[in-house]
Amino acid sequence: MAERRSSLLRTAHQVAGDRTEAEDLLQEGLLKTYQAWHRIEDKAVVGSYLRRTMTNHQISQWRKRRVEEYPTDELPERPYDGESMTQVEMRVAVARALGRLSARDREALSLRYYGSYTDTEIAERMGVSVGTVKSALWRALRKLREDPSLRPLAMYVTANAEWLEPVAA
């Protein structure tokens, strides 16, 4: 094993396709070969026996994970109602832009647009004056409007702030 480890690991990697799975596959092959050691008559071919054992084990693993899918001419009854890739990209871009705001600006935006609080209620919660809340909201919205990473997303938003497919500019 010490002499052939790298060669056996390469073989396992070719069969498994992943380094960590290859290491597990090699260990499984070594265990099974050790358990069958008394049945192996020609010890010179133990490397071939081990390679075949790893291959058979991997095939068995693939069979266990196999998912039965059958092609059909009929479409599903309901279309996919999850997020489209564009919506996911928009959400990630907005989250990153919000992360670049100061904690106070982010808190004011969250309370206003997610919590639907008034300026007075926000000021009480944050422990600041109403003027400070207004300036924090103004500053945060200005930073978001000027954020270059959000500019490409502007074509997806209507005046009602609803997400759409791309609209002509």
Side-chain angles (χ1 to χ4, degrees), residues 40-104:
I40 302 173
E41 294 175 14
D42 187 6
K43 305 297 185 204
V45 296
V46 75
S48 298
Y49 184 91
L50 178 57
R51 284 181 176 83
R52 187 68 215 177
T53 302
M54 289 189 301
T55 303
N56 289 344
H57 180 74
Q58 186 63 38
I59 290 170
S60 295
Q61 294 302 310
W62 288 334
R63 286 180 179 151
K64 288 177 185 176
R65 286 187 244 162
R66 185 174 57 187
V67 175
E68 298 290 334
E69 292 183 8
Y70 301 99
T72 180
D73 291 332
E74 298 175 22
L75 293 174
E77 291 179 19
R78 292 185 294 141
Y80 175 72
D81 60 350
E83 289 184 312
S84 69
M85 184 56 81
T86 304
Q87 289 170 321
V88 172
E89 290 171 357
M90 282 189 255
R91 192 167 31 85
V92 169
V94 170
R96 287 183 181 156
L98 288 171
R100 289 189 288 271
L101 296 176
S102 70
R104 177 181 280 183

Side-chain angles (χ1 to χ4, degrees), residues 92-101 139-154:
V92 169
V94 170
R96 287 183 181 156
L98 288 171
R100 289 189 288 271
L101 296 176
R139 187 175 42 252
L141 290 173
R142 187 192 76 218
K143 287 179 183 176
L144 291 175
R145 285 185 190 108
E146 293 174 354
D147 192 320
S149 66
L150 296 180
R151 283 195 188 122
L153 302 179

